[in-house]
Amino acid sequence: MIFRYLTIASVLTVTGLSFSNLSQPTPPESPETTFKTLCSSCHGDVQAFVDRKWKHGTSKDELIASISKGYADFGMPAWEGTLKPAQIEGIAQLIQTSIEKGNRYSFNNKPKSNIFKTEAFTARLDTVASGLDNPWGMGFLPDGNLLVTDRNGKIYLVDSKQHKTEVSGGPEVLAQGQGGLLDVTLHPNFAKNHWVYFSYSAFKDAPEGKLSTTAVMRAKLEGNQLSDQKIIFEALPYSKTRHHYGSRMAFDKNGYLFVTVGERGSEKTNPQNLDSDLGKIHRMKDDGSPINDNPFKDKTKGTIYSWGHRNPQGLLIDPATGTIWETEHGPRGGDELNMVRKGANYGWPVISYGINYDGKVITDLKAKDGMEQAQHYWVPSIAPSGLALVTGNRYSAWKGNLLIGSLRFRYLNRCVIKNNKVVKEEILFPNIGRVRNVSIGPDGYAYIAVEDPGYIYRIAVQ
């Protein structure tokens, strides 16, 4: 997710507040009701104020002054003649409380060592690989080596001594914007068939310029060479944009491959359109062909499993229950943790807890019949990428928890799950780097990949 501060033209954030519905009668004294009645049509949910840069200050007195006096040059009316002082103070306090929620992500210092205190134990981050740019995907081979994709298009085998060997024969990718070589996953029967799957930004030239999309290539890995390459999935339509590719992959216990595809920044045309592959999660056989009982088998390729997604970059399937967990980037605010259900619509952009990057309200709906609610959402956006379920006994205190990478705030997020809801979160390894991926290896250890510079770490209990 790309995070931007608002421009000077975006009056609602850099100048203070602007309210609508001037003709409304004086609302009840509740600040929440006042805000919802007078403010939300321009500003969205009050939680979104955590994610804005303010020109005239965020102290309570400064907020009261902004609301009371206004800024006529920017179209901000003065409210001191319409609202009671207690109402203005209540709104200011409500906004300030929302702003302060973002302070928990204010990490000012870089880590001084590889030792970190967590709530349950002391953890040590051991370096597994270094000298990477943007490690995106990780695949664990039976021989103990690690297969790593770098967004620049390179594929590496990493051994136990941190030696990297480049693998040849990978797909040709468009490494621009958020695109490039993205995820990698092994066939469940890799030990016998040696099939490896790569998701990436494929491209083609067109009269309107270079276009790209999310694609999946299957290839056979022998040593450090790939052969028998075949493109088994290609999301249509291609687009001129260079973001929101999605691209996480996972196999279920039936050997079916799930692939996430972002809406490519075209929220008005793709996620709610079943004639588009974009903004969807797809389910297919290991050769890319559709499953007979897919919910929309008469649409596009017949591979659509769920729809209404924005940019899903985390995906896992619980091996014990078959539950499919997914994380996706919202706009400014409203990143989501979802349980993916067959045929379900996840609502983007009809419902959302976020606002647009320019401060404009995308939708005033947070729920609608026929659309799924997130199991959990984040305001401000943490930019979730990578998702893992802690199993085994390496981290007994974390067993059953979800680990989620944060690109924006550069930490690993631990979610305690109860009845499929997040009941507690812990910030792990603050300021370690943009955490692009997290995965549990066959040895039971958690591995995290960070970007610029690119490292892969293994979490050990000290």
Side-chain angles (χ1 to χ4, degrees), residues 114-150:
N114 66 332
I115 306 298
F116 296 83
K117 290 283 188 181
T118 76
E119 292 179 3
F121 54 82
T122 299
R124 184 183 72 244
L125 294 186
D126 294 334
T127 299
V128 174
S130 59
L132 302 163
D133 290 332
N134 296 282
W136 223 94
M138 296 182 283
F140 299 89
L141 301 178
D143 62 6
N145 286 340
L146 180 63
L147 189 65
V148 179
T149 54
D150 202 315

PDB file of all heavy atoms in Angstrom, residues 114-150:
ATOM      1  N   ASN A 114      20.220  -8.079  17.692  1.00  0.00           N
ATOM      2  CA  ASN A 114      19.252  -9.037  17.149  1.00  0.00           C
ATOM      3  C   ASN A 114      18.467  -9.742  18.262  1.00  0.00           C
ATOM      4  O   ASN A 114      17.797 -10.732  18.012  1.00  0.00           O
ATOM      5  CB  ASN A 114      19.954 -10.059  16.272  1.00  0.00           C
ATOM      6  CG  ASN A 114      20.900 -10.954  17.067  1.00  0.00           C
ATOM      7  OD1 ASN A 114      21.429 -10.542  18.099  1.00  0.00           O
ATOM      8  ND2 ASN A 114      21.122 -12.158  16.574  1.00  0.00           N
ATOM      9  N   ILE A 115      18.542  -9.197  19.476  1.00  0.00           N
ATOM     10  CA  ILE A 115      17.829  -9.762  20.616  1.00  0.00           C
ATOM     11  C   ILE A 115      16.644  -8.850  20.948  1.00  0.00           C
ATOM     12  O   ILE A 115      16.806  -7.633  21.098  1.00  0.00           O
ATOM     13  CB  ILE A 115      18.746  -9.897  21.849  1.00  0.00           C
ATOM     14  CG1 ILE A 115      20.016 -10.680  21.493  1.00  0.00           C
ATOM     15  CG2 ILE A 115      17.991 -10.552  22.995  1.00  0.00           C
ATOM     16  CD1 ILE A 115      19.764 -12.096  21.047  1.00  0.00           C
ATOM     17  N   PHE A 116      15.457  -9.457  21.098  1.00  0.00           N
ATOM     18  CA  PHE A 116      14.253  -8.687  21.357  1.00  0.00           C
ATOM     19  C   PHE A 116      13.452  -9.352  22.484  1.00  0.00           C
ATOM     20  O   PHE A 116      13.343 -10.575  22.541  1.00  0.00           O
ATOM     21  CB  PHE A 116      13.367  -8.616  20.110  1.00  0.00           C
ATOM     22  CG  PHE A 116      13.984  -7.890  18.948  1.00  0.00           C
ATOM     23  CD1 PHE A 116      14.867  -8.541  18.094  1.00  0.00           C
ATOM     24  CD2 PHE A 116      13.671  -6.561  18.701  1.00  0.00           C
ATOM     25  CE1 PHE A 116      15.438  -7.881  17.021  1.00  0.00           C
ATOM     26  CE2 PHE A 116      14.228  -5.895  17.620  1.00  0.00           C
ATOM     27  CZ  PHE A 116      15.112  -6.551  16.783  1.00  0.00           C
ATOM     28  N   LYS A 117      12.880  -8.525  23.330  1.00  0.00           N
ATOM     29  CA  LYS A 117      11.975  -9.017  24.357  1.00  0.00           C
ATOM     30  C   LYS A 117      10.560  -9.057  23.788  1.00  0.00           C
ATOM     31  O   LYS A 117      10.071  -8.067  23.250  1.00  0.00           O
ATOM     32  CB  LYS A 117      12.006  -8.105  25.583  1.00  0.00           C
ATOM     33  CG  LYS A 117      13.290  -8.166  26.387  1.00  0.00           C
ATOM     34  CD  LYS A 117      13.337  -9.432  27.236  1.00  0.00           C
ATOM     35  CE  LYS A 117      14.533  -9.390  28.197  1.00  0.00           C
ATOM     36  NZ  LYS A 117      14.602 -10.632  29.017  1.00  0.00           N
ATOM     37  N   THR A 118       9.900 -10.192  23.901  1.00  0.00           N
ATOM     38  CA  THR A 118       8.489 -10.275  23.576  1.00  0.00           C
ATOM     39  C   THR A 118       7.725 -10.512  24.870  1.00  0.00           C
ATOM     40  O   THR A 118       8.336 -10.711  25.931  1.00  0.00           O
ATOM     41  CB  THR A 118       8.202 -11.413  22.581  1.00  0.00           C
ATOM     42  OG1 THR A 118       8.257 -12.676  23.260  1.00  0.00           O
ATOM     43  CG2 THR A 118       9.202 -11.414  21.431  1.00  0.00           C
ATOM     44  N   GLU A 119       6.412 -10.509  24.806  1.00  0.00           N
ATOM     45  CA  GLU A 119       5.625 -10.722  26.023  1.00  0.00           C
ATOM     46  C   GLU A 119       5.865 -12.102  26.615  1.00  0.00           C
ATOM     47  O   GLU A 119       5.774 -12.287  27.834  1.00  0.00           O
ATOM     48  CB  GLU A 119       4.140 -10.534  25.712  1.00  0.00           C
ATOM     49  CG  GLU A 119       3.756  -9.098  25.383  1.00  0.00           C
ATOM     50  CD  GLU A 119       2.287  -8.965  25.049  1.00  0.00           C
ATOM     51  OE1 GLU A 119       1.561  -9.986  25.129  1.00  0.00           O
ATOM     52  OE2 GLU A 119       1.841  -7.850  24.714  1.00  0.00           O
ATOM     53  N   ALA A 120       6.175 -13.080  25.766  1.00  0.00           N
ATOM     54  CA  ALA A 120       6.267 -14.461  26.243  1.00  0.00           C
ATOM     55  C   ALA A 120       7.698 -14.944  26.446  1.00  0.00           C
ATOM     56  O   ALA A 120       7.948 -15.797  27.300  1.00  0.00           O
ATOM     57  CB  ALA A 120       5.547 -15.397  25.269  1.00  0.00           C
ATOM     58  N   PHE A 121       8.645 -14.423  25.678  1.00  0.00           N
ATOM     59  CA  PHE A 121      10.018 -14.936  25.753  1.00  0.00           C
ATOM     60  C   PHE A 121      10.965 -13.940  25.100  1.00  0.00           C
ATOM     61  O   PHE A 121      10.538 -12.962  24.482  1.00  0.00           O
ATOM     62  CB  PHE A 121      10.134 -16.305  25.064  1.00  0.00           C
ATOM     63  CG  PHE A 121       9.638 -16.320  23.645  1.00  0.00           C
ATOM     64  CD1 PHE A 121      10.436 -15.892  22.588  1.00  0.00           C
ATOM     65  CD2 PHE A 121       8.356 -16.777  23.358  1.00  0.00           C
ATOM     66  CE1 PHE A 121       9.976 -15.915  21.281  1.00  0.00           C
ATOM     67  CE2 PHE A 121       7.873 -16.797  22.051  1.00  0.00           C
ATOM     68  CZ  PHE A 121       8.685 -16.367  21.010  1.00  0.00           C
ATOM     69  N   THR A 122      12.252 -14.203  25.257  1.00  0.00           N
ATOM     70  CA  THR A 122      13.274 -13.417  24.568  1.00  0.00           C
ATOM     71  C   THR A 122      13.559 -14.085  23.237  1.00  0.00           C
ATOM     72  O   THR A 122      13.850 -15.286  23.174  1.00  0.00           O
ATOM     73  CB  THR A 122      14.558 -13.326  25.403  1.00  0.00           C
ATOM     74  OG1 THR A 122      14.264 -12.679  26.646  1.00  0.00           O
ATOM     75  CG2 THR A 122      15.629 -12.536  24.667  1.00  0.00           C
ATOM     76  N   ALA A 123      13.473 -13.315  22.168  1.00  0.00           N
ATOM     77  CA  ALA A 123      13.657 -13.838  20.819  1.00  0.00           C
ATOM     78  C   ALA A 123      14.971 -13.342  20.228  1.00  0.00           C
ATOM     79  O   ALA A 123      15.438 -12.242  20.531  1.00  0.00           O
ATOM     80  CB  ALA A 123      12.497 -13.420  19.923  1.00  0.00           C
ATOM     81  N   ARG A 124      15.548 -14.169  19.387  1.00  0.00           N
ATOM     82  CA  ARG A 124      16.762 -13.821  18.657  1.00  0.00           C
ATOM     83  C   ARG A 124      16.483 -13.965  17.162  1.00  0.00           C
ATOM     84  O   ARG A 124      15.943 -14.978  16.722  1.00  0.00           O
ATOM     85  CB  ARG A 124      17.905 -14.746  19.072  1.00  0.00           C
ATOM     86  CG  ARG A 124      19.247 -14.386  18.426  1.00  0.00           C
ATOM     87  CD  ARG A 124      20.335 -15.387  18.805  1.00  0.00           C
ATOM     88  NE  ARG A 124      20.133 -16.683  18.141  1.00  0.00           N
ATOM     89  CZ  ARG A 124      19.871 -17.818  18.781  1.00  0.00           C
ATOM     90  NH1 ARG A 124      19.771 -17.840  20.101  1.00  0.00           N
ATOM     91  NH2 ARG A 124      19.697 -18.954  18.110  1.00  0.00           N
ATOM     92  N   LEU A 125      16.849 -12.944  16.394  1.00  0.00           N
ATOM     93  CA  LEU A 125      16.684 -13.009  14.952  1.00  0.00           C
ATOM     94  C   LEU A 125      17.998 -13.457  14.325  1.00  0.00           C
ATOM     95  O   LEU A 125      18.991 -12.727  14.343  1.00  0.00           O
ATOM     96  CB  LEU A 125      16.269 -11.647  14.381  1.00  0.00           C
ATOM     97  CG  LEU A 125      14.885 -11.126  14.786  1.00  0.00           C
ATOM     98  CD1 LEU A 125      14.555  -9.847  14.019  1.00  0.00           C
ATOM     99  CD2 LEU A 125      13.813 -12.174  14.549  1.00  0.00           C
ATOM    100  N   ASP A 126      18.012 -14.675  13.815  1.00  0.00           N
ATOM    101  CA  ASP A 126      19.194 -15.213  13.148  1.00  0.00           C
ATOM    102  C   ASP A 126      19.094 -14.940  11.653  1.00  0.00           C
ATOM    103  O   ASP A 126      18.045 -15.188  11.029  1.00  0.00           O
ATOM    104  CB  ASP A 126      19.293 -16.724  13.368  1.00  0.00           C
ATOM    105  CG  ASP A 126      19.551 -17.079  14.819  1.00  0.00           C
ATOM    106  OD1 ASP A 126      20.125 -16.240  15.544  1.00  0.00           O
ATOM    107  OD2 ASP A 126      19.180 -18.201  15.232  1.00  0.00           O
ATOM    108  N   THR A 127      20.166 -14.451  11.063  1.00  0.00           N
ATOM    109  CA  THR A 127      20.176 -14.161   9.637  1.00  0.00           C
ATOM    110  C   THR A 127      20.254 -15.452   8.838  1.00  0.00           C
ATOM    111  O   THR A 127      21.144 -16.279   9.048  1.00  0.00           O
ATOM    112  CB  THR A 127      21.358 -13.250   9.265  1.00  0.00           C
ATOM    113  OG1 THR A 127      21.235 -12.006   9.978  1.00  0.00           O
ATOM    114  CG2 THR A 127      21.378 -12.969   7.773  1.00  0.00           C
ATOM    115  N   VAL A 128      19.324 -15.621   7.916  1.00  0.00           N
ATOM    116  CA  VAL A 128      19.293 -16.770   7.023  1.00  0.00           C
ATOM    117  C   VAL A 128      19.803 -16.400   5.644  1.00  0.00           C
ATOM    118  O   VAL A 128      20.495 -17.179   4.985  1.00  0.00           O
ATOM    119  CB  VAL A 128      17.855 -17.333   6.931  1.00  0.00           C
ATOM    120  CG1 VAL A 128      17.756 -18.438   5.892  1.00  0.00           C
ATOM    121  CG2 VAL A 128      17.396 -17.835   8.289  1.00  0.00           C
ATOM    122  N   ALA A 129      19.474 -15.188   5.190  1.00  0.00           N
ATOM    123  CA  ALA A 129      19.922 -14.717   3.879  1.00  0.00           C
ATOM    124  C   ALA A 129      20.085 -13.211   3.934  1.00  0.00           C
ATOM    125  O   ALA A 129      19.340 -12.507   4.624  1.00  0.00           O
ATOM    126  CB  ALA A 129      18.922 -15.097   2.793  1.00  0.00           C
ATOM    127  N   SER A 130      21.067 -12.712   3.195  1.00  0.00           N
ATOM    128  CA  SER A 130      21.308 -11.271   3.109  1.00  0.00           C
ATOM    129  C   SER A 130      21.696 -10.938   1.671  1.00  0.00           C
ATOM    130  O   SER A 130      21.790 -11.822   0.819  1.00  0.00           O
ATOM    131  CB  SER A 130      22.425 -10.855   4.080  1.00  0.00           C
ATOM    132  OG  SER A 130      23.624 -11.547   3.787  1.00  0.00           O
ATOM    133  N   GLY A 131      21.913  -9.649   1.408  1.00  0.00           N
ATOM    134  CA  GLY A 131      22.301  -9.239   0.064  1.00  0.00           C
ATOM    135  C   GLY A 131      21.170  -9.310  -0.938  1.00  0.00           C
ATOM    136  O   GLY A 131      21.411  -9.400  -2.149  1.00  0.00           O
ATOM    137  N   LEU A 132      19.938  -9.250  -0.456  1.00  0.00           N
ATOM    138  CA  LEU A 132      18.771  -9.255  -1.329  1.00  0.00           C
ATOM    139  C   LEU A 132      18.236  -7.834  -1.464  1.00  0.00           C
ATOM    140  O   LEU A 132      18.595  -6.940  -0.701  1.00  0.00           O
ATOM    141  CB  LEU A 132      17.691 -10.167  -0.743  1.00  0.00           C
ATOM    142  CG  LEU A 132      18.091 -11.624  -0.496  1.00  0.00           C
ATOM    143  CD1 LEU A 132      17.098 -12.299   0.439  1.00  0.00           C
ATOM    144  CD2 LEU A 132      18.179 -12.386  -1.810  1.00  0.00           C
ATOM    145  N   ASP A 133      17.371  -7.633  -2.451  1.00  0.00           N
ATOM    146  CA  ASP A 133      16.708  -6.334  -2.597  1.00  0.00           C
ATOM    147  C   ASP A 133      15.343  -6.360  -1.923  1.00  0.00           C
ATOM    148  O   ASP A 133      15.146  -5.747  -0.888  1.00  0.00           O
ATOM    149  CB  ASP A 133      16.568  -5.976  -4.083  1.00  0.00           C
ATOM    150  CG  ASP A 133      17.901  -5.643  -4.739  1.00  0.00           C
ATOM    151  OD1 ASP A 133      18.808  -5.184  -4.030  1.00  0.00           O
ATOM    152  OD2 ASP A 133      18.030  -5.856  -5.958  1.00  0.00           O
ATOM    153  N   ASN A 134      14.417  -7.051  -2.539  1.00  0.00           N
ATOM    154  CA  ASN A 134      13.057  -7.124  -2.020  1.00  0.00           C
ATOM    155  C   ASN A 134      12.576  -8.570  -2.028  1.00  0.00           C
ATOM    156  O   ASN A 134      11.815  -8.978  -2.903  1.00  0.00           O
ATOM    157  CB  ASN A 134      12.115  -6.259  -2.866  1.00  0.00           C
ATOM    158  CG  ASN A 134      12.456  -4.784  -2.797  1.00  0.00           C
ATOM    159  OD1 ASN A 134      12.143  -4.102  -1.833  1.00  0.00           O
ATOM    160  ND2 ASN A 134      13.123  -4.295  -3.835  1.00  0.00           N
ATOM    161  N   PRO A 135      13.022  -9.369  -1.063  1.00  0.00           N
ATOM    162  CA  PRO A 135      12.565 -10.762  -1.024  1.00  0.00           C
ATOM    163  C   PRO A 135      11.068 -10.835  -0.791  1.00  0.00           C
ATOM    164  O   PRO A 135      10.557 -10.265   0.167  1.00  0.00           O
ATOM    165  CB  PRO A 135      13.359 -11.362   0.146  1.00  0.00           C
ATOM    166  CG  PRO A 135      13.740 -10.188   1.003  1.00  0.00           C
ATOM    167  CD  PRO A 135      13.915  -9.040   0.070  1.00  0.00           C
ATOM    168  N   TRP A 136      10.382 -11.533  -1.679  1.00  0.00           N
ATOM    169  CA  TRP A 136       8.907 -11.535  -1.664  1.00  0.00           C
ATOM    170  C   TRP A 136       8.338 -12.880  -1.242  1.00  0.00           C
ATOM    171  O   TRP A 136       7.468 -12.959  -0.407  1.00  0.00           O
ATOM    172  CB  TRP A 136       8.408 -11.181  -3.071  1.00  0.00           C
ATOM    173  CG  TRP A 136       7.274 -10.218  -3.119  1.00  0.00           C
ATOM    174  CD1 TRP A 136       7.362  -8.854  -3.272  1.00  0.00           C
ATOM    175  CD2 TRP A 136       5.875 -10.512  -3.050  1.00  0.00           C
ATOM    176  NE1 TRP A 136       6.103  -8.295  -3.294  1.00  0.00           N
ATOM    177  CE2 TRP A 136       5.166  -9.284  -3.160  1.00  0.00           C
ATOM    178  CE3 TRP A 136       5.148 -11.681  -2.895  1.00  0.00           C
ATOM    179  CZ2 TRP A 136       3.783  -9.208  -3.128  1.00  0.00           C
ATOM    180  CZ3 TRP A 136       3.761 -11.609  -2.854  1.00  0.00           C
ATOM    181  CH2 TRP A 136       3.093 -10.384  -2.969  1.00  0.00           C
ATOM    182  N   GLY A 137       8.839 -13.957  -1.854  1.00  0.00           N
ATOM    183  CA  GLY A 137       8.307 -15.282  -1.568  1.00  0.00           C
ATOM    184  C   GLY A 137       9.371 -16.205  -1.014  1.00  0.00           C
ATOM    185  O   GLY A 137      10.572 -16.044  -1.289  1.00  0.00           O
ATOM    186  N   MET A 138       8.944 -17.202  -0.225  1.00  0.00           N
ATOM    187  CA  MET A 138       9.848 -18.191   0.341  1.00  0.00           C
ATOM    188  C   MET A 138       9.240 -19.578   0.171  1.00  0.00           C
ATOM    189  O   MET A 138       8.061 -19.787   0.481  1.00  0.00           O
ATOM    190  CB  MET A 138      10.090 -17.922   1.832  1.00  0.00           C
ATOM    191  CG  MET A 138      10.799 -16.615   2.133  1.00  0.00           C
ATOM    192  SD  MET A 138      11.102 -16.372   3.922  1.00  0.00           S
ATOM    193  CE  MET A 138       9.447 -15.895   4.484  1.00  0.00           C
ATOM    194  N   GLY A 139      10.052 -20.509  -0.309  1.00  0.00           N
ATOM    195  CA  GLY A 139       9.623 -21.893  -0.438  1.00  0.00           C
ATOM    196  C   GLY A 139      10.654 -22.803   0.194  1.00  0.00           C
ATOM    197  O   GLY A 139      11.857 -22.677  -0.070  1.00  0.00           O
ATOM    198  N   PHE A 140      10.218 -23.738   1.033  1.00  0.00           N
ATOM    199  CA  PHE A 140      11.125 -24.599   1.791  1.00  0.00           C
ATOM    200  C   PHE A 140      11.255 -25.946   1.085  1.00  0.00           C
ATOM    201  O   PHE A 140      10.277 -26.681   0.940  1.00  0.00           O
ATOM    202  CB  PHE A 140      10.606 -24.777   3.214  1.00  0.00           C
ATOM    203  CG  PHE A 140      10.502 -23.477   3.970  1.00  0.00           C
ATOM    204  CD1 PHE A 140       9.337 -22.717   3.917  1.00  0.00           C
ATOM    205  CD2 PHE A 140      11.569 -23.011   4.718  1.00  0.00           C
ATOM    206  CE1 PHE A 140       9.233 -21.523   4.604  1.00  0.00           C
ATOM    207  CE2 PHE A 140      11.478 -21.811   5.424  1.00  0.00           C
ATOM    208  CZ  PHE A 140      10.311 -21.064   5.356  1.00  0.00           C
ATOM    209  N   LEU A 141      12.471 -26.254   0.655  1.00  0.00           N
ATOM    210  CA  LEU A 141      12.720 -27.476  -0.102  1.00  0.00           C
ATOM    211  C   LEU A 141      12.997 -28.653   0.840  1.00  0.00           C
ATOM    212  O   LEU A 141      13.486 -28.467   1.967  1.00  0.00           O
ATOM    213  CB  LEU A 141      13.898 -27.278  -1.040  1.00  0.00           C
ATOM    214  CG  LEU A 141      13.746 -26.148  -2.073  1.00  0.00           C
ATOM    215  CD1 LEU A 141      15.008 -26.026  -2.909  1.00  0.00           C
ATOM    216  CD2 LEU A 141      12.538 -26.383  -2.963  1.00  0.00           C
ATOM    217  N   PRO A 142      12.725 -29.875   0.387  1.00  0.00           N
ATOM    218  CA  PRO A 142      12.956 -31.052   1.237  1.00  0.00           C
ATOM    219  C   PRO A 142      14.404 -31.219   1.677  1.00  0.00           C
ATOM    220  O   PRO A 142      14.666 -31.803   2.735  1.00  0.00           O
ATOM    221  CB  PRO A 142      12.516 -32.215   0.343  1.00  0.00           C
ATOM    222  CG  PRO A 142      11.551 -31.624  -0.619  1.00  0.00           C
ATOM    223  CD  PRO A 142      12.048 -30.235  -0.880  1.00  0.00           C
ATOM    224  N   ASP A 143      15.363 -30.720   0.880  1.00  0.00           N
ATOM    225  CA  ASP A 143      16.776 -30.873   1.243  1.00  0.00           C
ATOM    226  C   ASP A 143      17.253 -29.837   2.249  1.00  0.00           C
ATOM    227  O   ASP A 143      18.437 -29.792   2.610  1.00  0.00           O
ATOM    228  CB  ASP A 143      17.657 -30.827  -0.013  1.00  0.00           C
ATOM    229  CG  ASP A 143      17.576 -29.494  -0.761  1.00  0.00           C
ATOM    230  OD1 ASP A 143      16.922 -28.558  -0.250  1.00  0.00           O
ATOM    231  OD2 ASP A 143      18.161 -29.394  -1.855  1.00  0.00           O
ATOM    232  N   GLY A 144      16.336 -28.982   2.724  1.00  0.00           N
ATOM    233  CA  GLY A 144      16.699 -27.983   3.714  1.00  0.00           C
ATOM    234  C   GLY A 144      17.046 -26.630   3.139  1.00  0.00           C
ATOM    235  O   GLY A 144      17.177 -25.652   3.894  1.00  0.00           O
ATOM    236  N   ASN A 145      17.188 -26.542   1.817  1.00  0.00           N
ATOM    237  CA  ASN A 145      17.465 -25.250   1.204  1.00  0.00           C
ATOM    238  C   ASN A 145      16.184 -24.411   1.137  1.00  0.00           C
ATOM    239  O   ASN A 145      15.066 -24.929   1.164  1.00  0.00           O
ATOM    240  CB  ASN A 145      18.031 -25.430  -0.205  1.00  0.00           C
ATOM    241  CG  ASN A 145      19.463 -25.916  -0.177  1.00  0.00           C
ATOM    242  OD1 ASN A 145      20.161 -25.776   0.828  1.00  0.00           O
ATOM    243  ND2 ASN A 145      19.928 -26.501  -1.276  1.00  0.00           N
ATOM    244  N   LEU A 146      16.398 -23.111   1.023  1.00  0.00           N
ATOM    245  CA  LEU A 146      15.295 -22.164   0.938  1.00  0.00           C
ATOM    246  C   LEU A 146      15.270 -21.556  -0.456  1.00  0.00           C
ATOM    247  O   LEU A 146      16.297 -21.066  -0.961  1.00  0.00           O
ATOM    248  CB  LEU A 146      15.468 -21.070   1.993  1.00  0.00           C
ATOM    249  CG  LEU A 146      14.399 -19.984   2.064  1.00  0.00           C
ATOM    250  CD1 LEU A 146      13.047 -20.574   2.437  1.00  0.00           C
ATOM    251  CD2 LEU A 146      14.811 -18.900   3.063  1.00  0.00           C
ATOM    252  N   LEU A 147      14.105 -21.578  -1.103  1.00  0.00           N
ATOM    253  CA  LEU A 147      13.921 -20.972  -2.412  1.00  0.00           C
ATOM    254  C   LEU A 147      13.323 -19.591  -2.199  1.00  0.00           C
ATOM    255  O   LEU A 147      12.260 -19.453  -1.581  1.00  0.00           O
ATOM    256  CB  LEU A 147      12.999 -21.841  -3.264  1.00  0.00           C
ATOM    257  CG  LEU A 147      12.854 -21.486  -4.740  1.00  0.00           C
ATOM    258  CD1 LEU A 147      14.173 -21.664  -5.482  1.00  0.00           C
ATOM    259  CD2 LEU A 147      11.764 -22.341  -5.376  1.00  0.00           C
ATOM    260  N   VAL A 148      13.987 -18.549  -2.705  1.00  0.00           N
ATOM    261  CA  VAL A 148      13.590 -17.167  -2.450  1.00  0.00           C
ATOM    262  C   VAL A 148      13.381 -16.436  -3.768  1.00  0.00           C
ATOM    263  O   VAL A 148      14.216 -16.532  -4.677  1.00  0.00           O
ATOM    264  CB  VAL A 148      14.662 -16.417  -1.627  1.00  0.00           C
ATOM    265  CG1 VAL A 148      14.253 -14.969  -1.390  1.00  0.00           C
ATOM    266  CG2 VAL A 148      14.901 -17.121  -0.299  1.00  0.00           C
ATOM    267  N   THR A 149      12.264 -15.717  -3.878  1.00  0.00           N
ATOM    268  CA  THR A 149      12.063 -14.834  -5.019  1.00  0.00           C
ATOM    269  C   THR A 149      12.368 -13.406  -4.599  1.00  0.00           C
ATOM    270  O   THR A 149      11.963 -12.963  -3.526  1.00  0.00           O
ATOM    271  CB  THR A 149      10.615 -14.899  -5.530  1.00  0.00           C
ATOM    272  OG1 THR A 149       9.717 -14.627  -4.451  1.00  0.00           O
ATOM    273  CG2 THR A 149      10.304 -16.257  -6.124  1.00  0.00           C
ATOM    274  N   ASP A 150      13.086 -12.689  -5.454  1.00  0.00           N
ATOM    275  CA  ASP A 150      13.363 -11.278  -5.256  1.00  0.00           C
ATOM    276  C   ASP A 150      12.552 -10.506  -6.293  1.00  0.00           C
ATOM    277  O   ASP A 150      12.484 -10.910  -7.457  1.00  0.00           O
ATOM    278  CB  ASP A 150      14.862 -10.993  -5.432  1.00  0.00           C
ATOM    279  CG  ASP A 150      15.311  -9.712  -4.746  1.00  0.00           C
ATOM    280  OD1 ASP A 150      14.598  -8.697  -4.879  1.00  0.00           O
ATOM    281  OD2 ASP A 150      16.365  -9.719  -4.087  1.00  0.00           O
TER     282      ASP A 150
END
